[in-house]
Amino acid sequence: MDYLEYKPCPNRNERRAVLLIPGGAYYYIGKQDVEKPVEWCHNRHFHVWVLYYTCAKENKAAYPAPMNEARAAVKAIRETGRIDILIGWGFSAGAHLLAITGTESRLNGMILSYPVISMENEDITHVLSRNNLLGENATRELKQQMSAETRVSDATPPVFIFHTAEDEKVPVRNSLLFAEKMDQFGRPFSLCIQAKGLHGVGMGDWTGALDPWLQEVTSGKRLITRSLAPGELELHTKQALLVQNYKVYDG
């Protein structure tokens, strides 16, 4: 696959990997979402495959090529026979692609960094990403189908979600919406929201919360979910938020 690049960690015998999906509003591949995340993963003994998916060209919408490529990438990585644990990690529009395909693929977990989630909610959608993916005249049905929150089910893998409250391009409500759907289906999630930071902030202090989540999800231990209390996902202005709806069962 010429759109899938393999970046092995130093320990070639490691059987854990990350499928990395950069952002770029379905218009370009954000190279800034590659180098540092790959290094971060290698330092934790994960191999990395980077997905360079199809983007919009000359007013031609990208859909459905990115979705087909993401599903094929997961299948291809699994078929190598070298990986037992596969985590998806997407940024912005890449996180949307991951959230759409990750709910129907053989992933052990997903990391959604400042994700585009909804394509149908006009109050929170990232219009540029939607137009590049679906075209300006997409039907209501297609917008709904490509809204990641509608894909959550009782089979969705555990998710770590990161966003900033002041994201000026992709409203934080996208992440809150996905977390709400995960809660409704009793699926484990960890939601980390920082008060400060513009869209595309990249790697930072928030990865301190990602580390333990990654260890828990890849430990093979059972994750026991709980129902969130009313208002637990309410975001107050300029206030950070860290919510986890599960605990690790050691029995």
Side-chain angles (χ1 to χ4, degrees), residues 58-226:
E58 298 177 355
N59 296 322
K60 181 180 179 182
Y63 178 84
M67 286 65 202
N68 294 337
E69 291 159 355
R71 284 190 291 266
V74 174
K75 184 173 184 289
I77 294 170
R78 288 295 190 188
E79 288 180 348
T80 66
R82 304 198 302 267
I83 300 301
D84 296 325
I85 293 175
L86 180 58
I87 303 293
W89 190 352
F91 291 82
S92 192
H96 172 264
L97 176 55
L98 174 62
I100 288 289
T101 57
T103 53
E104 58 188 46
S105 301
R106 295 166 56 202
L107 293 174
N108 299 99
M110 299 189 294
I111 305 167
L112 307 179
S113 300
Y114 31 90
V116 175
I117 293 296
S118 186
M119 293 281 171
E120 65 174 344
N121 187 326
E122 297 294 337
D123 293 331
I124 67 173
T125 193
H126 185 238
V127 175
L128 181 60
S129 291
R130 185 178 70 187
N131 289 348
N132 285 331
L133 177 64
L134 306 178
E136 295 183 5
N137 299 313
T139 65
R140 180 180 178 183
E141 290 74 20
L142 184 57
K143 291 177 184 177
Q144 182 180 43
Q145 183 184 357
M146 287 295 106
S147 291
E149 73 274 15
T150 68
R151 299 297 190 97
V152 176
S153 72
D154 56 9
T156 302
V159 174
F160 181 94
I161 312 168
F162 166 70
H163 221 120
T164 61
E166 65 178 15
D167 191 320
E168 81 288 6
K169 292 184 178 179
V170 179
V172 67
R173 184 62 192 166
N174 281 270
S175 286
L176 294 169
L177 179 60
F178 199 83
E180 288 170 357
K181 291 297 183 180
M182 292 288 287
D183 179 54
Q184 288 177 17
F185 281 90
R187 301 304 299 150
F189 74 85
S190 184
L191 173 67
C192 176
I193 295 177
Q194 290 184 348
K196 297 294 183 179
L198 301 180
H199 187 73
V201 66
M203 308 293 285
D205 293 342
W206 64 272
T207 57
L210 175 60
D211 250 328
W213 176 88
L214 191 60
Q215 294 170 17
E216 292 164 351
V217 168
T218 60
S219 68
K221 297 179 180 178
R222 186 180 176 190
L223 305 183
I224 307 297
T225 59
R226 63 178 177 86

